[in-house]
């Protein structure tokens, strides 16, 4: 097995000059998506409008569900995927920017997933607005050689065109009929004036794209934007958290119903329940939370996997004498969200010793320091080596250096934390100990990594992308997080960045 980032700097992808062969999969012309470009931000305005003038997601979602039920989809939104008691499936989140970081994940994903029964896309299939015309280069082309069905749950970006493209591709749905105009001067009327509406798709372009995944083994039609699939000894439940990261009352009632029974369950959600050292239980309209349902011992959940945040995190939370694995798995292609801005973990009974993340905080800080150095044309000041970044993060968090063989690589005690490295770490929002971190500073630290988003700025490895493989048996689920750096060594032999065996009995 190849070295991971927890073993060596080379395992993290630093210092390699061997670019992977993923570029041969890409179209000749590739859009470089920039999240600081107004042309990207303006079409993605619906989330802001929903928070200001009311969220129409629940009404639109219910219309989609009614249409699918009328067309013959199961009313309980539960379907069966024929699988033996021992089977495997993939999970990959926040994929669809259509650029090098997305395609760099594909070779390793195909190697690790070649014998799996299906894959699940966990949130934000298509950036920036979920447009139907973008599915060719951001879904069908990259995953054309994955010879199994792909199921999906939408993220907030898939909702920016009212879920039109998502429902066409994954549910074989027809466009919704137009709604009556809202009452003048009402909140809905003001919202409708600025609302970004679905564009009419190029039907020939979509038909050509579908041919890339036209093999019988690749076909699947899911019953709606939220669903449950029974496979082998487990039930996998996917929920749709819409534009604002909540679920409506109708979906909440459904989730409680499909969570009944002794079958072990895995939740897949667009909004992770534990993330960035915080608990986000996910409100249900009308009362209660998604995490209330997950924690109920009568429901037998063993894991809750969420997208939306573009990295990997795992929190093993003890609940009533059992452990539920809360996982963030949004590193499938979109720009990397920082891990170095998180404080030392102390949440839900999980400590820093129990917590796992990818990229490691030191690698994240080194990545962002290089990004800011290039953007601000201050490379000599901002740029930290991975060893310098690891050392200063260790000092700020009060934890040992994470890289297992870092001392052997750099020479024991060779890296000294200087005033410059401390200043750069502070400017880039590097996390600290909980007793030294005020709540007021958390949004400020996050803003550091959003001011210059890595989108369109990270077209050289390491990319720090990741995906999951889950191996299911009647006794357990083995969950592994694999990395993809864009370098050839990790492409040929994807490193395992984290692994946990989850008992089912």
């Amino acid at each position: 097995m190849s070295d991971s980032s927890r073993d060596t700097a080379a395992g993290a992808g630093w210092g390699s000059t061997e670019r992977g062969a993923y570029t041969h999969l890409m179209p000749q012309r590739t859009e470089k998506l920039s999240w600081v470009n107004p042309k990207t931000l303006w079409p993605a305005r619906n989330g802001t409008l929903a928070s200001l003038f009311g969220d129409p997601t629940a009404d639109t979602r219910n219309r989609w569900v009614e249409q699918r039920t009328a067309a013959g989809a199961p009313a309980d939104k539960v379907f069966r995927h024929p699988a033996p008691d021992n089977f495997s499936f993939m999970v990959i989140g926040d994929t669809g920017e259509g650029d090098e970081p997305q395609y760099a994940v594909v070779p390793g994903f195909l190697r690790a997933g070649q014998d799996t029964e299906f894959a699940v896309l966990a949130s934000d299939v298509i950036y920036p607005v979920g447009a139907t015309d973008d599915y060719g280069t951001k879904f069908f082309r990259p995953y054309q050689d994955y010879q199994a069905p792909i199921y999906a749950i939408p993220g907030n970006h898939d909702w920016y065109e009212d879920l039109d493209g998502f429902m066409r591709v994954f549910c074989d749905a027809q466009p919704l009929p137009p709604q009556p105009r809202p009452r003048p001067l009402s909140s809905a009327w003001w919202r409708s004036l600025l609302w970004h509406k679905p564009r009419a798709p190029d039907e020939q372009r979509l038909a050509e794209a579908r041919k890339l995944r036209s093999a019988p083994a690749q076909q699947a039609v899911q019953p709606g934007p939220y669903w449950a699939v029974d496979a082998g000894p487990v039930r996998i439940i996917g929920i749709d958290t819409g534009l604002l990261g909540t679920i409506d009352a109708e979906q909440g009632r459904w989730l409680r119903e499909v969570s009944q029974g002794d079958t072990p369950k895995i939740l897949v959600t667009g909004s992770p329940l534990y993330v960035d050292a915080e608990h986000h239980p996910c409100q249900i309209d009308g009362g209660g939370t998604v995490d209330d349902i997950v924690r109920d011992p009568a429901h037998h959940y063993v894991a809750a996997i969420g997208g939306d945040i573009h990295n990997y995190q795992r929190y093993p939370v003890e609940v009533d004498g059992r452990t539920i694995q809360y996982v963030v798995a949004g590193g499938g292609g979109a720009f990397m969200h920082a891990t170095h801005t998180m404080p030392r973990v102390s949440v839900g009974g999980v400590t820093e010793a129990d917590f796992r993340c990818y990229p490691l905080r030191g690698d994240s800080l080194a990545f962002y320091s290089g990004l800011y150095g290039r953007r601000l044309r201050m490379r000599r000041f901002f740029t930290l080596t991975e060893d310098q970044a690891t050392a200063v993060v260790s000092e700020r968090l009060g934890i040992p250096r994470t890289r297992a063989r870092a001392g052997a690589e750099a020479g024991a005690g060779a890296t000294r934390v200087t005033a410059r490295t401390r200043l750069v770490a502070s400017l880039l929002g590097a996390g600290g100990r909980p007793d030294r971190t005020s709540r007021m500073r958390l949004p400020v630290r996050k803003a550091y990594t959003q001011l210059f988003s890595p989108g369109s700025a990270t077209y050289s490895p390491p990319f720090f992308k990741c995906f999951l493989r889950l191996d299911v048996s009647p006794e357990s689920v083995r969950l592994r997080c694999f990395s993809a750096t864009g370098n050839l060594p990790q492409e040929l032999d994807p490193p395992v960045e984290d692994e946990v065996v989850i008992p089912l009995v």
Side-chain angles (χ1 to χ4, degrees), residues 35-52:
W35 290 103
V36 296
N37 188 331
K39 291 183 179 180
T40 302
L41 296 174
W42 177 241
R45 62 190 178 270
N46 286 3
T48 301
L49 294 174
S51 63
L52 292 174

Side-chain angles (χ1 to χ4, degrees), residues 48-66:
T48 301
L49 294 174
S51 63
L52 292 174
F53 299 107
D55 185 4
T57 300
D59 290 339
T60 306
R61 181 190 295 115
N62 289 335
R63 293 174 67 210
W64 282 120
V65 169
E66 289 170 3

Side-chain angles (χ1 to χ4, degrees), residues 135-157:
Y135 269 84
T137 56
K138 299 179 182 181
F139 173 72
F140 288 106
R141 186 183 183 103
Y143 310 116
Q144 61 184 305
D145 293 325
Y146 180 67
Q147 298 299 314
I150 297 177
Y151 307 116
I153 57 166
N156 58 313
H157 286 267

